[in-house]
Amino acid sequence: MGDVLEFLRQGNPFEAQKIISTLFESDLDSKELIFTNKCCIFWIDSIKRMRGTEDSYEKNEGLLQEWKSFLTYISRDKDRYEPALVAVQRGFFTKALERFTELMDEKEPYQKAEIYKRAGICHKKLGNFDMARSFLMDANRIYPNLSSVLAELADCCSLCGDDRYGKLLFREAFYMDPESIDLGFLDSELIKCLIKITEDKKHSGKSLQYWIPVYGVLNGVLNIKKELTPQDVVKLRKEIYAKESEYKDPSCNMEILVPRLLNCYFRLMDHYTLVNEDSAKCSEILLKIKIMDSAVYQAYIS
């Protein structure tokens, strides 16, 4: 199996499968061979699919999604062969990184930031956490404050041992645009624990991503507070007013609107705490939280 795994580490499932075919002749029932062959079949089909995609933008967009499709593909396998999985991961992300490195002369800022983000994800999946963090910092410099970039940067900071900065960045990322964050590529125990807590509360789909920062606050995980500028405070109050008006409409999307409003209330409470605001204003926000969700209120004040 050594040569098979080496070809997989090189991102060459075609040669790996040729060797497996000969090994099957003497060991047809090997669970390790069956699983490894299944991996080869997926990646051979994947490579052919990607080669058949003429649009380079579509190809770049879909490249990392192939990894998520692969994880779904093997999700029900009880007899996984871990050395094959490790080899496949190294091969895939090495090849993906080569692809994104070729594209780094992109001029358009948003697209360039996306390429650097994806390169950062590849480095992270290859275990190069410091390098990943460097690429993600560059992505944020090129096109600041993309939630998808901040979440990945937060993940790398946590993996590098800087949980404090990771918590701050995660909170910002999930406050600004939770839907743009791809949970499937986040690896740190900090965020995986928080995702599990939120899933255990029966949240899923889009609403899951809006509830993550709420439970992050309630469970004391996302406990690093950002100081808001006067402009930030004005913008936050306007958003709260708009969302409260929307909340009065019976046809509004409660699954997203409620956690969004709660997160805004928490953010305003953080600001009031940092600037020692009048207690009456804090009481007003706490009452709004209590009316909206009494269980969240009890968890928040406890």
Side-chain angles (χ1 to χ4, degrees):
M1 283 288 284
D3 289 341
V4 173
L5 297 179
E6 182 55 33
F7 277 121
L8 289 176
R9 282 191 286 270
Q10 295 171 10
N12 189 343
F14 297 94
E15 292 300 321
Q17 193 179 48
K18 287 179 183 177
I19 298 173
I20 289 173
S21 296
T22 61
L23 294 175
F24 267 140
E25 293 175 4
S26 58
D27 195 0
L28 188 60
D29 297 323
S30 168
K31 292 179 180 178
E32 290 84 358
L33 278 178
I34 292 170
F35 178 79
T36 307
N37 187 58
K38 185 173 183 179
C39 293
C40 289
I41 290 170
F42 178 91
W43 289 113
I44 288 171
D45 288 345
S46 172
I47 291 169
K48 289 177 179 177
R49 281 198 306 274
M50 297 302 285
R51 284 176 180 171
T53 304
E54 294 182 5
D55 188 295
S56 60
Y57 177 80
E58 184 181 339
K59 186 179 292 186
N60 296 335
E61 285 287 302
L63 186 54
L64 292 187
Q65 295 306 312
E66 288 292 298
W67 180 253
K68 294 176 66 177
S69 297
F70 171 67
L71 294 181
T72 301
Y73 175 70
I74 62 168
S75 61
R76 294 182 181 178
D77 278 274
K78 295 180 180 178
D79 298 312
R80 296 188 185 185
Y81 182 45
E82 287 301 319
L85 271 181
V86 171
V88 166
Q89 178 165 325
R90 174 154 294 276
F92 173 77
F93 285 103
T94 297
K95 288 291 186 182
L97 180 58
E98 290 174 3
R99 170 67 180 165
F100 295 131
T101 301
E102 292 171 356
L103 302 172
M104 285 183 178
D105 58 354
E106 169 69 48
K107 302 301 181 185
E108 199 281 316
Y110 176 81
Q111 289 301 327
K112 191 177 184 72
E114 282 290 311
I115 290 165
Y116 272 72
K117 179 192 76 177
R118 291 170 188 150
I121 290 172
C122 291
H123 276 295
K124 183 179 70 171
K125 291 295 187 180
L126 291 168
N128 308 324
F129 300 142
D130 287 326
M131 185 67 76
R133 181 166 55 177
S134 177
F135 271 90
L136 291 161
M137 288 175 68
D138 283 342
N140 190 50
R141 175 182 54 78
I142 293 164
Y143 199 102
N145 297 323
L146 288 172
S147 288
S148 61
V149 172
L150 292 181
E152 285 293 342
L153 182 53
D155 201 43
C156 279
C157 287
S158 184
L159 289 167
C160 289
D162 189 357
D163 268 344
R164 181 179 177 82
Y165 194 43
K167 290 177 179 182
L168 177 63
L169 290 176
F170 269 132
R171 193 161 185 184
E172 285 304 296
F174 279 100
Y175 170 74
M176 291 190 298
D177 186 10
E179 284 187 42
S180 72
I181 299 169
D182 193 332
L183 304 182
F185 287 112
L186 300 179
D187 296 328
S188 63
E189 284 304 311
L190 189 158
I191 194 64
K192 285 167 70 176
C193 174
L194 195 45
I195 292 170
K196 178 67 165 56
I197 288 171
T198 310
E199 287 176 334
D200 287 347
K201 296 292 184 178
K202 309 304 180 186
H203 297 294
S204 61
K206 286 184 180 180
S207 71
L208 171 71
Q209 290 170 242
Y210 283 88
W211 278 100
I212 283 172
V214 173
Y215 287 107
V217 171
L218 297 181
N219 288 274
V221 179
L222 302 184
N223 57 357
I224 307 302
K225 302 171 184 178
K226 175 189 173 184
E227 290 189 27
L228 302 183
T229 65
Q231 293 81 6
D232 290 335
V233 176
V234 170
K235 185 178 178 181
L236 176 58
R237 285 178 172 147
K238 284 182 178 178
E239 180 174 7
I240 288 173
Y241 178 80
K243 295 299 182 189
E244 286 176 341
S245 298
E246 187 180 347
Y247 183 72
K248 295 173 185 176
D249 183 349
S251 65
C252 69
N253 187 348
M254 289 289 190
E255 287 190 354
I256 287 177
L257 188 57
V258 168
R260 181 62 186 164
L261 257 174
L262 289 170
N263 201 26
C264 287
Y265 290 150
F266 292 167
R267 194 173 180 85
L268 190 55
M269 283 293 291
D270 288 346
H271 170 69
Y272 285 163
T273 302
L274 288 169
V275 300
N276 295 313
E277 186 56 82
D278 188 306
S279 61
K281 290 187 177 181
C282 294
S283 297
E284 180 185 354
I285 298 299
L286 286 173
L287 180 59
K288 289 181 177 182
I289 295 172
K290 185 176 184 179
I291 292 171
M292 180 162 287
D293 193 315
S294 59
V296 168
Y297 170 77
Q298 289 297 329
Y300 186 71
I301 65 172
S302 62

